[in-house]
Amino acid sequence: MSRPRTSATSASLSPRQIWARTRGALLVLALILIGGIVLATVQSSDHHGHLDPRSADPNGSRALAEILKAQGVTVQVVTTLDEATTATGTDSTLLVTTPDLLTEHQQSILHSAMTESHGRTVLIGASHPSVGTLAPGVTVATSTSVTAREPQCSLPAAVRAGSVDIGGERYTTGIDTADTCYLSNGMPTLLRVPTSGGGDTVLLGSADFLSNERLDKQGNASLALQLLGSRTHLVWYLPSLSDTSVTEGDPEGESPDSAAESFLSLIPSGWLWGTLQLAVAAALAAVWRARRLGPLVTERLPVAIRASEATEGRARLYRKGNARDRAAAVLRTATRARIAPLLGVATQDAHSPETLLPAISARLPENAADPRDLLFGPAPADDAALIRLADQLDALEREVRTS
């Protein structure tokens, strides 16, 4: 009779063991909480992007916007092309901070609005992707560094401002009525091109003189106020890649309301930060689970399983999966490994027919059956053949042992 199975009673965990098991999860939760607090603090602060008139950062333009407002100029900040084209007019100045972010279709719509408004348009840092559409007849040369430059032109605003911190993109044009100012190797970094109806387009190679950090240097403030404050209304357009207000490439001029919303437009604005936090949490969890944070701990098995029971369980699994080939291979391998030392065959050669079979033949009687098929033959065709194979292997091993 087999002995009854006994279960080991598990001892209660000590506080130190509880801390060792839970400290990783607590660390991940703490980092997520700290990240959320920092994110909320950053988003709640008065922080905006480059050349944003709401930003008091060194690269923002809040100082210029406040001065313009004090002089009676209304400053309207827009972030979509629809808002920008709707707000432009004869008495307005349209400032486009990064025109290169606009697609070709958006540039065409903006240029049409610029032409119809007969106002002033100021393009900052426009280069090859946008100049051809927004300023026909103008080409872009290599850029130059930002430094204090003299006007070297007759444009009244530049003459009154004098030296200005400017550089960046350089332009060339064949338009005779254009004003070319602040030259670098003969090419202007400020180009004014008159348009029909009394309007004009001003291309600035860089916008450093508009920033809070440089507004009070050189003649930066004077030039900025004259360029942007010549009309009563200033539309400050901040393009972005997320602007989906205009349907791309719509040949029929279909309104945005009739177009289906994109999938990304339906996702909340904070999805990127949420995804980033989840990625960080997943990485920390992977590090926590992959790295051992302490010494190995020996644990008692809850149940002692006999070798015979493990063998029987393994056999039942083979039977359930109809894995007769695998079961036969295990039986043959085990038999070869046991009889090889009895025959004087090295362990590494126990599964080589060329070495093992001659040694067996020398030990068995001359009239004995060839053991090749028994030890290295094909898989049994059915369960009965598998049982016969097991019995024959046992008989072969007994005969080798007693010979």
Side-chain angles (χ1 to χ4, degrees):
M1 295 179 62
S2 61
R3 292 178 298 176
R5 300 178 182 178
T6 59
S7 299
T9 59
S10 58
S12 60
L13 298 176
S14 64
R16 183 176 181 180
Q17 292 174 320
I18 295 175
W19 165 248
R21 294 187 178 187
T22 60
R23 59 185 176 183
L26 293 176
L27 177 61
V28 173
L29 292 176
L31 290 175
I32 295 176
L33 180 61
I34 294 173
I37 294 174
V38 172
L39 178 61
T41 303
V42 170
Q43 290 185 340
S44 63
S45 62
D46 188 17
H47 178 79
H48 300 280
H50 178 65
L51 288 182
D52 196 312
R54 300 162 295 184
S55 174
D57 294 340
N59 60 352
S61 299
R62 183 173 179 177
L64 175 58
E66 294 298 326
I67 296 175
L68 289 170
K69 292 177 183 178
Q71 293 184 350
V73 179
T74 58
V75 179
Q76 180 182 357
V77 181
V78 298
T79 57
T80 65
L81 183 59
D82 281 350
E83 295 174 328
T85 55
T86 302
T88 56
T90 306
D91 60 342
S92 66
T93 299
L94 173 62
L95 172 65
V96 186
T97 57
T98 49
D100 288 353
L101 286 182
L102 300 175
T103 64
E104 185 176 352
H105 181 61
Q106 290 174 325
Q107 292 171 17
S108 300
I109 296 176
L110 180 61
H111 183 259
S112 299
M114 292 163 49
T115 305
E116 295 173 0
S117 68
H118 305 298
R120 166 170 287 181
T121 302
V122 180
L123 305 175
I124 298 178
S127 59
H128 297 284
S130 60
V131 164
T133 303
L134 298 179
V138 178
T139 57
V140 182
T142 56
S143 60
T144 184
S145 60
V146 175
T147 185
R149 304 181 190 277
E150 296 297 329
Q152 298 179 304
C153 67
S154 59
L155 180 65
V159 173
R160 287 191 290 266
S163 177
V164 168
D165 293 327
I166 195 170
E169 304 296 339
R170 297 185 297 174
Y171 304 99
T172 58
T173 182
I175 302 174
D176 297 334
T177 56
D179 293 304
T180 56
C181 304
Y182 301 102
L183 306 181
S184 171
N185 293 333
M187 289 178 286
T189 57
L190 185 154
L191 177 64
R192 174 186 171 274
V193 180
T195 58
S196 60
D200 59 9
T201 299
V202 180
L203 293 93
L204 298 176
S206 67
D208 295 70
F209 68 95
L210 303 178
S211 65
N212 298 326
E213 185 178 23
R214 296 202 183 193
L215 189 64
D216 61 342
K217 297 178 174 60
Q218 308 293 335
N220 297 345
S222 175
L223 181 62
L225 293 174
Q226 292 180 82
L227 292 179
L228 303 182
S230 61
R231 289 164 172 79
T232 58
H233 185 56
L234 172 62
V235 181
W236 202 301
Y237 179 27
L238 302 170
S240 66
L241 295 175
S242 61
D243 181 11
T244 58
S245 59
V246 177
T247 304
E248 290 282 344
D250 184 4
E252 302 296 332
E254 190 175 1
S255 63
D257 294 337
S258 63
E261 293 186 59
S262 65
F263 175 74
L264 292 179
S265 66
L266 303 177
I267 302 177
S269 58
W271 70 272
L272 181 59
W273 290 105
T275 304
L276 179 60
Q277 292 183 40
L278 291 177
V280 172
L284 292 175
V287 172
W288 166 54
R289 298 298 296 174
R291 182 177 178 83
R292 180 164 54 86
L293 302 178
L296 291 175
V297 178
T298 303
E299 296 185 3
R300 297 175 58 189
L301 293 176
V303 178
I305 301 177
R306 293 185 177 184
S308 59
E309 294 178 356
T311 303
E312 183 179 354
R314 188 175 181 182
R316 291 181 184 276
L317 290 176
Y318 284 149
R319 182 178 183 181
K320 185 176 181 180
N322 290 325
R324 286 184 292 272
D325 53 345
R326 178 61 179 165
V330 171
L331 293 173
R332 285 167 168 159
T333 300
T335 301
R336 292 195 299 264
R338 287 193 298 268
I339 65 177
L342 302 176
L343 299 172
V345 177
T347 305
Q348 61 268 22
D349 296 329
H351 309 292
S352 173
E354 292 77 8
T355 304
L356 184 64
L357 292 178
I360 295 178
S361 300
R363 184 71 65 89
L364 298 178
E366 294 182 356
N367 58 352
D370 187 3
R372 177 180 293 274
D373 289 341
L374 184 60
L375 292 174
F376 298 97
D382 50 27
D383 291 345
L386 178 62
I387 295 174
R388 286 196 301 272
L389 174 64
D391 293 339
Q392 292 171 359
L393 289 173
D394 286 341
L396 175 63
E397 184 176 349
R398 284 195 302 270
E399 189 168 356
V400 170
R401 289 182 180 277
T402 58
S403 60

